[in-house]
Amino acid sequence: MKVMRRSRWLARLAAMLVVGVAGLVAAASAPAQAGIVIQANVMAAWGHGLLGDGGGPGRSLYGDIKAAGNNVVQVAAGWYRHRLTLRSDGTVWAWGRNDAGQLGDGTTTGEGTPVQVTGLTGVVTQVAAGWDHSLALKSDGTVWAWGNNDHGQLGDNTSVGSLVPVQVPRLTGVTKISAGYGFSLALRSDGRVWAWGWNDRAQLGAFSKSPFSLVPVQVPGLAHATGISAGLEHAVATATNGISALTSVWAWGDNEFGQLGDGTLTSHGAKPVTGFPVSIAGIAAGGEFTTVLGGDGTVWAWGNDTSGQLGNAPGGTPVTRPVNTIGLGSGIIQLSAGGAHVLALKSNGTVLAWGNNQLSQLGIGSQASVTGPVQVAGLTSATQLAAGLDVSFAIHTVPYLVGL
């Protein structure tokens, strides 16, 4: 796979049709009974194209994607135009680009609506989509991968891609997964983070003699981790000190736009980010920026801010230290960062958005630029978000009549 540098990626930002990174919120529906109303978990989408409805130019307001089903609990979006959904029965479904087999259905044929990923026996609890590869975490703590493998991002000790899921060897006890541009992350129950794939900018947590690793390697220096998030070519994690619940943020990888938050533009291995006077409740790594949710509802961000993706007025100078862009009382409980925009879930089920809106990815009915958070029009009862390069997804609960 030809490596795309950040400057070139940014120049093509509005033209690409890809979607990126997010987290699992399980919300299984009650068993259906004849003639009653249940709460269905449906996927909503807005922004630029390939939303799972078979095609079309996209939309500026959210719409429910019926083809995704009524029991969706997680959406994950790849950086190279493919998407995954996890249903409450533990099955995985995919659509979009498939030239590297990233849909996992045994073919290289793209799909406009979701098709089931084959060969995943047992129950899957989380999915993650990278540039053109995919990951699944099963309930037994094993990790499975499929799609492109030219830099070892499948972790199976080869550089040969796979059209169907293959198990990542010797990796057990995993609780969370995330995927970036040609690399993968896994958090184990012992608080250690493992990474594999592309490593030309220390995406695996440290520079090494080889620009990639075909097998998982431990991110050095990072212990007691509680969360992980892979951006395009950088990663962040949360960790405790092993004694109290106090949480820190660690970052590593590409730093061309200050997305590691250490005051420089130099890429490096894993180390803590300083400057947080609050406890940490969540993290989300975007294309060339990072966002952090404080336990008090504040939002902190750093990195590229050319589209206002940090939550304030756009700026042409990289922000290399954490800045508080959204204050107390926001009600935000979850963040998802895309190419150059952010989605934020509030405790009342409504969704805020900010950043790039050239292709209607903010869901406000227009392509007008905005400064600071705006509410996604009409969307309520949301439980999980996934921000992509120029599209957005959400899972929300709606009444559903069955038995007629």
Side-chain angles (χ1 to χ4, degrees), residues 30-399:
Q33 299 179 21
I36 67 169
V37 175
I38 65 171
Q39 290 296 313
N41 303 313
V42 301
M43 185 184 76
W46 60 98
H48 189 65
L50 289 175
L51 305 181
D53 55 1
R59 55 172 64 94
S60 61
L61 294 171
Y62 94 88
D64 291 340
I65 308 300
K66 295 181 180 180
N70 295 312
N71 60 342
V72 181
V73 295
Q74 189 204 349
V75 182
W79 289 102
Y80 195 43
R81 213 174 159 190
H82 80 288
R83 304 82 159 91
L84 307 173
T85 59
L86 173 63
R87 296 185 178 180
S88 59
D89 61 1
T91 60
V92 179
W93 298 71
W95 71 97
R97 192 179 181 96
N98 195 31
D99 56 321
Q102 54 265 51
L103 300 190
D105 65 346
T107 77
T108 55
T109 303
E111 298 286 349
T113 57
V115 295
Q116 187 170 357
V117 176
T118 61
L120 282 176
T121 58
V123 176
V124 174
T125 60
Q126 188 184 350
V127 290
W131 181 264
D132 51 6
H133 77 288
S134 304
L135 303 177
L137 173 62
K138 294 176 64 171
S139 58
D140 61 2
T142 60
V143 178
W144 297 71
W146 60 96
N148 194 9
N149 195 29
D150 57 352
H151 292 107
Q153 53 265 53
L154 302 190
D156 64 347
N157 202 27
T158 77
S159 57
V160 180
S162 178
L163 304 183
V164 295
V166 294
Q167 185 175 352
V168 180
R170 300 182 299 277
L171 191 60
T172 59
V174 174
T175 60
K176 295 179 182 178
I177 53 175
S178 191
Y181 176 41
F183 74 102
S184 305
L185 302 175
L187 171 61
R188 293 182 56 172
S189 56
D190 60 3
R192 300 289 183 174
V193 176
W194 293 74
W196 58 98
W198 193 234
N199 195 41
D200 64 327
R201 292 180 177 259
Q203 298 95 312
L204 306 188
F207 283 107
S208 61
K209 293 181 180 180
S210 174
F212 55 88
S213 176
L214 302 180
V215 295
V217 294
Q218 187 173 313
V219 174
L222 177 58
H224 309 294
T226 58
I228 51 175
S229 179
L232 188 68
E233 292 186 288
H234 78 290
V236 291
T238 53
T240 69
N241 60 12
I243 300 174
S244 68
L246 182 65
T247 304
S248 61
V249 176
W250 290 61
W252 62 92
D254 178 48
N255 198 30
E256 184 176 340
F257 292 89
Q259 54 264 54
L260 302 189
D262 67 340
T264 77
L265 299 178
T266 303
S267 301
H268 60 72
K271 66 179 185 179
V273 181
T274 60
F276 296 107
V278 297
S279 62
I280 307 302
I283 50 174
E288 295 162 338
F289 68 103
T290 303
T291 58
V292 169
L293 176 63
D296 58 359
T298 57
V299 175
W300 300 73
W302 58 92
N304 193 340
D305 196 27
T306 53
S307 298
Q309 57 264 53
L310 302 191
N312 52 11
T317 302
V319 177
T320 62
R321 293 285 190 185
V323 293
N324 180 202
T325 56
I326 298 176
L328 290 166
S330 69
I332 295 172
I333 59 173
Q334 182 190 129
L335 297 172
S336 181
H341 76 291
V342 176
L343 302 177
L345 176 64
K346 297 184 65 175
S347 57
N348 62 3
T350 59
V351 179
L352 301 176
W354 60 87
N356 194 321
N357 194 38
Q358 292 181 343
L359 295 170
S360 303
Q361 53 265 57
L362 301 189
I364 58 176
S366 73
Q367 295 178 342
S369 299
V370 297
T371 299
V374 292
Q375 186 168 333
V376 176
L379 182 60
T380 60
S381 303
T383 59
Q384 190 251 333
L385 307 172
L389 177 63
D390 46 19
V391 294
S392 300
F393 294 91
I395 296 170
H396 68 132
T397 58
V398 298

